[in-house]
Amino acid sequence: MIRQGYRERGTGNGGGRARSLFPIPRSLIALLLACASPEPGGELVRVTIPPGSGFRAVTDTLAAHGLTGSRLWFRVLARVRGIDRAVKAGVYDLPAGAGAWVVLDQLQQGKVAMARLTVPEGLTLVELASLADARLDIPADSVLAQARDSGRLRQLAVAAPTLEGYLLPETYNLPLPVTADGLVQAMADEFTRRWNPAWDRRLDSLHMTRAELITLASIVEGEARHDDERATIAGVYTNRLRRGMLLQADPTVQYAVQVARGERKPRLFFKDLEIDSPYNTYVHAGLPPGPVNSPGLKSIQAALYPTDVPYLYFVAGPDGHHVFSRTLAEHNHAIMQVRRLAGSAP
């Protein structure tokens, strides 16, 4: 039976590597290689080895894809090499005509085919699910269901309805076939792996919970377009929180609109700022109930270590950089300047 791994049995004299009961002449091995190998092709052939397959079934599958010559000699070669009980299940991209030796090497080593997925910073769960649907052919509903799984939420100590904010944006190489469970677990594991234990002590000094930190980081992620401004933006929101001011953060309203209407609006209008939602920080004081997207590590670090700045306001310019202000009067003046620049831009 095909198993996830195979360990050779000891010789009984200290656990050394198992030896064949009789020597195999090199000439015979050469003959086996020649008989088991088809003519070289060069193309990759995708083959699926289901869990629990016997090696005869594996050989039949390979032969059906033109990857073996003689099935008998292929099985004999696998037995001689001790691989017939060490093949790992999975999806493989095997080179046509590469020869039995190479094919057996890849099956033994478990060199399964991989899918590459780059998840940009700042995506919401709904957007991540759509990305997985488009790039990996995983149903979006399945991804969302896995992100709501109560067992996984308990495992990550997330006291929220979903893993919004706790699936780390990164480039992932995932073994085929990729499932919704596998994708979400990989992203959640990466979040846990990249979490620095020193950050827990930093949270204590900030008097913040991890959930509050990730929520603030998600707002920073939604606002920042340039890395050198992330800590300053975090500093502005930290100042507003300390003073009890409304955050008035557009990313929270965009999230509220997406939850209510199923779409994220790239541009907000004044009527959107009145939406009835606990995520609307133009109406409700303090941080919203949870993260509004998936922040990257740079935004998390900015929220952990915000720059000590005197600013309470900022407005984005045409190039994505922000103009920061201390007072409302300065802020209103900056808005007028930005509008003039935007109007004069080609």
Side-chain angles (χ1 to χ4, degrees), residues 43-201:
E43 297 181 356
L44 292 178
V45 180
R46 178 154 292 181
V47 177
T48 300
I49 307 298
S53 299
F55 194 76
R56 183 178 293 272
V58 172
T59 304
D60 290 343
T61 298
L62 295 172
H65 287 82
L67 291 166
T68 65
S70 166
R71 302 186 191 197
L72 172 61
W73 289 114
F74 185 82
R75 292 198 299 270
V76 171
L77 178 60
R79 175 64 61 88
V80 169
R81 293 187 58 189
I83 295 176
D84 57 329
R85 295 174 57 194
V87 175
K88 296 178 173 63
V91 178
Y92 293 82
D93 284 335
L94 300 172
W101 199 273
V102 173
V103 170
L104 287 171
D105 278 345
Q106 294 201 19
L107 294 177
Q108 181 186 37
Q109 296 167 20
K111 290 186 176 180
V112 297
M114 308 291 284
R116 186 179 180 89
L117 179 68
T118 296
V119 181
E121 292 86 352
L123 292 190
T124 64
L125 276 178
V126 170
E127 292 163 341
L128 169 63
S130 296
L131 181 68
D133 197 339
R135 301 285 176 83
L136 300 175
D137 200 26
I138 301 175
D141 289 346
S142 298
V143 176
L144 295 174
Q146 290 297 326
R148 291 192 295 263
D149 180 72
S150 58
R152 186 173 282 115
L153 290 168
R154 286 194 299 271
Q155 176 189 358
L156 292 172
V158 175
T162 73
L163 288 173
E164 187 81 76
Y166 296 91
L167 301 180
L168 191 68
E170 189 57 86
T171 295
Y172 292 89
N173 291 305
L174 305 161
L176 293 176
V178 185
T179 64
D181 175 75
L183 172 62
V184 172
Q185 190 63 51
M187 296 184 69
D189 288 344
E190 187 67 6
F191 177 93
T192 301
R193 188 181 74 82
R194 301 292 291 274
W195 181 269
N196 189 331
W199 294 350
D200 293 314
R201 297 188 294 273

Side-chain angles (χ1 to χ4, degrees), residues 8-345:
E8 296 184 0
R9 298 170 64 183
T11 62
N13 60 353
R17 186 176 180 85
R19 293 176 293 181
S20 175
L21 296 178
F22 54 89
I24 305 295
R26 292 186 178 183
S27 58
L28 176 57
I29 292 179
L31 176 62
L32 294 176
L33 282 170
C35 294
S37 304
E39 290 298 316
E43 297 181 356
L44 292 178
V45 180
R46 178 154 292 181
V47 177
T48 300
I49 307 298
S53 299
F55 194 76
R56 183 178 293 272
V58 172
T59 304
D60 290 343
T61 298
L62 295 172
H65 287 82
L67 291 166
T68 65
S70 166
R71 302 186 191 197
L72 172 61
W73 289 114
F74 185 82
R75 292 198 299 270
V76 171
L77 178 60
R79 175 64 61 88
V80 169
R81 293 187 58 189
I83 295 176
D84 57 329
R85 295 174 57 194
V87 175
K88 296 178 173 63
V91 178
Y92 293 82
D93 284 335
L94 300 172
W101 199 273
V102 173
V103 170
L104 287 171
D105 278 345
Q106 294 201 19
L107 294 177
Q108 181 186 37
Q109 296 167 20
K111 290 186 176 180
V112 297
M114 308 291 284
R116 186 179 180 89
L117 179 68
T118 296
V119 181
E121 292 86 352
L123 292 190
T124 64
L125 276 178
V126 170
E127 292 163 341
L128 169 63
S130 296
L131 181 68
D133 197 339
R135 301 285 176 83
L136 300 175
D137 200 26
I138 301 175
D141 289 346
S142 298
V143 176
L144 295 174
Q146 290 297 326
R148 291 192 295 263
D149 180 72
S150 58
R152 186 173 282 115
L153 290 168
R154 286 194 299 271
Q155 176 189 358
L156 292 172
V158 175
T162 73
L163 288 173
E164 187 81 76
Y166 296 91
L167 301 180
L168 191 68
E170 189 57 86
T171 295
Y172 292 89
N173 291 305
L174 305 161
L176 293 176
V178 185
T179 64
D181 175 75
L183 172 62
V184 172
Q185 190 63 51
M187 296 184 69
D189 288 344
E190 187 67 6
F191 177 93
T192 301
R193 188 181 74 82
R194 301 292 291 274
W195 181 269
N196 189 331
W199 294 350
D200 293 314
R201 297 188 294 273
R202 176 62 177 168
L203 286 177
D204 291 339
S205 66
L206 293 173
H207 305 291
M208 296 180 72
T209 66
R210 186 182 67 168
E212 291 171 334
L213 171 75
I214 299 302
T215 299
L216 177 57
S218 72
I219 296 175
V220 173
E221 190 66 65
E223 295 281 16
R225 295 295 175 270
H226 299 277
D227 290 344
D228 59 352
E229 291 188 348
R230 293 182 191 274
T232 302
I233 291 172
V236 172
Y237 283 124
T238 299
N239 289 342
R240 294 180 75 90
L241 286 170
R242 288 171 178 169
R243 296 189 179 208
M245 299 173 64
L246 292 172
L247 292 185
Q248 297 182 327
D250 287 357
T252 67
V253 179
Q254 289 169 327
Y255 186 78
V257 171
Q258 185 181 68
V259 170
R261 304 172 191 170
E263 61 177 355
R264 186 200 289 219
K265 298 182 67 173
R267 181 181 178 186
L268 296 175
F269 296 96
F270 285 116
K271 63 179 181 180
D272 296 319
L273 305 183
E274 300 174 357
I275 187 172
D276 183 15
S277 168
Y279 285 90
N280 186 354
T281 56
Y282 278 81
V283 176
H284 300 283
L287 291 167
V292 296
N293 58 50
S294 296
L297 291 174
K298 291 179 181 178
S299 290
I300 293 174
Q301 291 171 328
L304 278 165
Y305 301 97
T307 303
D308 185 9
V309 293
Y311 308 125
L312 292 171
Y313 306 89
F314 59 83
V315 60
D319 63 351
H321 284 94
H322 292 82
V323 179
F324 297 91
S325 302
R326 294 175 173 83
T327 67
L328 182 58
E330 289 179 2
H331 180 56
N332 289 333
H333 180 69
I335 292 175
M336 294 176 61
Q337 287 184 314
V338 166
R339 287 176 177 170
R340 282 197 295 268
L341 287 173
S344 62

